[in-house]
Amino acid sequence: NAGVTQTPKFQVLKTGQSMTLQCAQDMNHNSMYWYRQDPGMGLRLIYYSASEGTTDKGEVPNGYNVSRLNKREFSLRLESAAPSQTSVYFCASSEFARSSYNSPLHFGNGTRLTVT
Amino acid sequence: TQLLEQSPQFLSIQEGENLTVYCNSSSVFSSLQWYRQEPGEGPVLLVTVVTGGEVKKLKRLTFQFGDARKDSSLHITAAQPGDTGLYLCAGGNAGNNRKLIWGLGTSLAVNP
């Protein structure tokens, strides 16, 4: 059982280049998330998808776009990378039940992105 | 704005010592999750506490949720090198994972 799989693990981009980070989960979870983690800033939500077919902005969406391709896959696209987007990006998934307490998040192992 | 403050920020101890880390807020949360993150990996859930005053034990780790549901603590007994990592707390409100509030974490190093 792989859980949440992210690709690539490492990436170096030049300013202005574009790329897509891929994420897939095999736990049949409804909700998926993209976070970035930076020293001194902690985990910040970029975008989230409560269920297949829906996406919503998080705390820091500027410069990013997402696609919920199907229930398993949720991709994050940087159209024109900037040095401020140098970070570690994590994809996560969870069950979603509106009337229940927060379901735990299951994280992938991250993509380490450097923009020069 | 809800905030979660974790303390201490860094902790370096010897194997066998006990320690407590804290997660504090001025806001009430319906649940508090604790995660551990090892270098090069994503956070992994340790426990969720949902009831004020609740205490949960996971082997040598003891988690407590404050009576007012504004704070939580994690106590580790007889720490081992395998406990090394970043401990993160996340506060949430019912049915709204998008609104999880994350602390900045406590980085723990347990030296053999």
Side-chain angles (χ1 to χ4, degrees), chain B residues 26-82:
Chain B
S26 58
S27 302
V28 175
F29 291 101
S30 62
S31 68
L32 213 298
Q33 301 175 6
W34 283 93
Y35 292 80
R36 179 169 67 211
Q37 183 177 17
E38 298 186 18
E41 299 184 5
V44 176
L45 180 75
L46 296 173
V47 78
T48 301
V49 285
V50 298
T51 305
E54 181 177 6
V55 177
K56 279 192 174 179
K57 292 191 175 184
L58 186 65
K59 296 183 181 178
R60 294 174 294 100
L61 278 61
T62 302
F63 303 85
Q64 185 163 9
F65 202 11
D67 290 342
R69 291 185 287 123
K70 293 183 179 181
D71 54 82
S72 182
S73 64
L74 158 59
H75 182 80
I76 301 179
T77 303
Q80 299 178 359

Side-chain angles (χ1 to χ4, degrees), chain A residues 33 35 37 40-43 45 48 56-58 90 94-105 107-109 112, chain B residues 30-31 33 35 37 39-45 48 50 86 88 91-100 102-104:
Chain A
Y33 313 79
Y35 282 90
Q37 187 175 36
M41 302 293 287
L43 281 164
L45 183 65
Y48 120 113
D56 205 354
K57 295 179 181 179
F90 287 101
S94 73
E95 294 284 350
F96 179 77
R98 190 175 296 278
S99 62
S100 73
Y101 293 108
N102 298 101
S103 301
L105 299 185
F107 285 85
N109 282 335
R112 283 138 190 87
Chain B
S30 62
S31 68
Q33 301 175 6
Y35 292 80
Q37 183 177 17
E41 299 184 5
V44 176
L45 180 75
T48 301
V50 298
L86 179 68
L88 295 162
N93 295 297
N96 195 348
N97 266 358
R98 180 189 175 200
K99 298 291 188 181
L100 271 181
W102 291 87
L104 296 184

